């Protein structure tokens, strides 16, 4: 009976975990695109991309993206349920928009180097990445958009804003991840800009309304302050 009550308590406490069911929408759709968008696609790149060098060392921040996203979700999941819902709403909406764009506008890029100038463990890691990830379905960049999502969630968190080191660390890592998408030739500058525009637009619907309500609430409280 105690075990049953404990389980019921955990289910009630973490009932917001239902949000993770989105994975059953995203993954089949994304894998379908990866399988079928292979040759006939619109090339997303500009001349500026040709002047960005390939730097294999950026594979480290690129891979840290996975840790970055998971850590952010776990933090908000266990400590800030409203913040968790906002992060999930923001990120999953953007990911859905990405899927829709790639479905109606198949896209990709041809930036990856065929021959590598150097041979080291970082280049080997990039080769593994290239084999695992196709050069299609790149616009807008989810690596960039999801990194911006975490930065926004951190910046909008009252608890995390008090820890300047955490905020600075999140912003620096996100910046390195964004640079990595271009220096590893995984994304075009256009992919990065597209992700930035999508983040700005979605911010107005997910975070901005609450931010506008806070000053109003604070003003109402100040009006009730007794006059001495």
């Amino acid at each position: 009976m105690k075990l049953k009550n404990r389980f019921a308590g955990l289910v009630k406490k973490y009932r917001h975990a239902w949000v993770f069911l989105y994975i059953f929408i995203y993954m089949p759709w994304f894998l379908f695109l990866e399988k079928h968008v292979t040759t006939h696609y619109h090339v997303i790149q500009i001349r500026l991309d040709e002047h960005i060098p390939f730097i294999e060392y950026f594979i480290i921040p690129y891979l840290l993206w996975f840790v970055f996203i998971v850590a952010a979700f776990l933090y908000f999941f266990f400590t800030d349920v409203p913040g968790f819902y906002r992060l999930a709403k923001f990120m999953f909406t953007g990911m859905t928009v990405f899927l829709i764009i790639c479905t109606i506008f198949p896209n990709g890029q041809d930036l990856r180097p065929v021959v590598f100038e150097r041979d080291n463990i970082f280049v080997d890691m990039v080769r593994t990445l290239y084999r695992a990830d196709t050069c299609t379905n790149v616009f807008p960049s989810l690596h960039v958009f999801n990194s911006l999502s975490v930065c926004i969630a951190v910046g909008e968190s009252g608890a995390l804003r008090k820890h300047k080191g955490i905020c600075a660390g999140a912003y620096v890592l996100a910046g390195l991840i964004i640079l990595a998408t271009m220096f590893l030739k995984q994304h075009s500058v256009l992919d990065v800009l597209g992700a930035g525009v999508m983040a700005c637009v979605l911010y107005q619907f997910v975070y901005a309304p609450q931010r506008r309500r806070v000053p109003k609430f604070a003003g109402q409280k100040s009006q009730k302050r007794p006059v001495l």
Side-chain angles (χ1 to χ4, degrees), residues 39-82:
T39 54
H40 301 291
Y41 54 81
H42 299 85
V43 177
I44 306 294
Q45 57 194 64
I46 56 178
R47 183 167 297 180
L48 178 60
D49 294 311
E50 301 174 5
H51 298 283
I52 299 176
F54 170 81
I55 304 177
E56 67 271 22
Y57 306 110
F58 273 95
I59 189 64
I60 301 302
Y62 188 88
L63 295 179
L64 284 176
W65 174 84
F66 297 95
V67 178
F68 190 46
I69 302 303
V70 170
F73 263 113
L74 289 179
Y75 170 81
F76 285 100
F77 181 83
F78 287 111
T79 67
D80 182 358
V81 176

Side-chain angles (χ1 to χ4, degrees), residues 13-156:
K13 182 178 181 180
Y14 299 116
R15 59 183 178 274
H16 50 291
W18 70 267
V19 169
F20 291 122
L21 292 175
Y22 175 74
I23 195 69
F24 294 106
I25 298 175
Y26 177 80
M27 284 308 299
W29 193 346
F30 177 74
L31 292 175
F32 173 82
L33 292 174
E34 285 287 276
K35 183 177 180 180
H36 291 85
V37 181
T38 55
T39 54
H40 301 291
Y41 54 81
H42 299 85
V43 177
I44 306 294
Q45 57 194 64
I46 56 178
R47 183 167 297 180
L48 178 60
D49 294 311
E50 301 174 5
H51 298 283
I52 299 176
F54 170 81
I55 304 177
E56 67 271 22
Y57 306 110
F58 273 95
I59 189 64
I60 301 302
Y62 188 88
L63 295 179
L64 284 176
W65 174 84
F66 297 95
V67 178
F68 190 46
I69 302 303
V70 170
F73 263 113
L74 289 179
Y75 170 81
F76 285 100
F77 181 83
F78 287 111
T79 67
D80 182 358
V81 176
F84 169 79
Y85 275 124
R86 284 192 294 272
L87 174 59
K89 181 180 180 181
F90 188 90
M91 191 177 293
F92 294 167
T93 300
M95 292 166 67
T96 303
V97 172
F98 159 80
L99 291 172
I100 294 173
I101 290 175
C102 291
T103 299
I104 64 178
F105 184 73
N107 57 78
Q109 50 92 349
D110 300 322
L111 297 170
R112 293 178 174 181
V114 178
V115 178
F116 295 95
E117 297 180 0
R118 296 172 291 277
D119 189 14
N120 52 50
I121 187 173
F122 301 104
V123 170
D124 292 338
M125 294 169 69
V126 173
R127 289 194 181 102
T128 301
L129 172 65
Y130 285 178
R131 287 193 295 267
D133 188 18
T134 70
C135 61
T136 58
N137 306 310
V138 295
F139 181 86
S141 168
L142 282 190
H143 249 67
V144 173
F145 173 75
N146 289 348
S147 297
L148 294 175
S149 300
V150 172
C151 287
I152 291 172
V154 169
E156 294 293 325

Side-chain angles (χ1 to χ4, degrees), residues 1-14:
M1 182 62 70
K2 289 183 178 180
L3 183 61
K4 183 179 179 180
N5 290 338
R6 182 177 299 178
F7 178 75
L10 288 174
V11 171
K12 183 178 180 180
K13 182 178 181 180
Y14 299 116

